[in-house]
Amino acid sequence: MKECKKGRRLGSAVVLLQGVVTALFPRASVRLTKRMIGKNFDNADELEATPAYVRQLRAIGVGMIAAGGTGLLLEDATESKAEVVEAADEATTDGED
């Protein structure tokens, strides 16, 4: 179960980091996309990103920041709640002996 929590936390952190990069440096994302397209299509390096596409990439980056941050916050909240419940269970079982 701990591996699953670590995986979710890592996934949220990766999404958050990718969102920051995409929001701050959308042109880098455009270059990466052109490189990936260039592997399968001719003249992909001649493609030009419109200003609207760059704005959309920034918006996607902001959304990824929100999604990754929310995932991390919810994971921490769930973890804290589980610790409180576990401590309460231990306190009640210690009092019964």
Side-chain angles (χ1 to χ4, degrees):
M1 187 69 167
K2 268 202 184 287
E3 293 83 23
C4 188
K5 286 182 182 180
K6 286 181 182 181
R8 282 193 301 256
R9 187 176 293 152
L10 178 64
S12 292
V14 168
V15 169
L16 179 75
L17 181 63
Q18 181 63 39
V20 169
V21 171
T22 301
L24 295 178
F25 308 108
R27 295 274 178 203
S29 207
V30 169
R31 284 193 303 271
L32 177 64
T33 303
K34 284 170 62 173
R35 245 187 260 149
M36 289 187 327
I37 290 173
K39 301 274 185 203
N40 296 313
F41 295 96
D42 295 331
N43 301 326
D45 55 340
E46 295 176 12
L47 293 173
E48 187 66 33
T50 63
Y53 180 72
V54 174
R55 282 192 307 272
Q56 290 169 356
L57 276 176
R58 283 188 196 271
I60 289 169
V62 170
M64 290 172 73
I65 292 169
T70 302
L72 287 173
L73 289 173
L74 290 176
E75 190 68 33
D76 288 343
T78 303
E79 205 171 88
S80 298
K81 193 175 192 179
E83 289 172 358
V84 169
V85 169
E86 187 177 304
D89 287 344
E90 286 177 8
T92 56
T93 55
D94 288 343
E96 291 176 4
D97 289 340

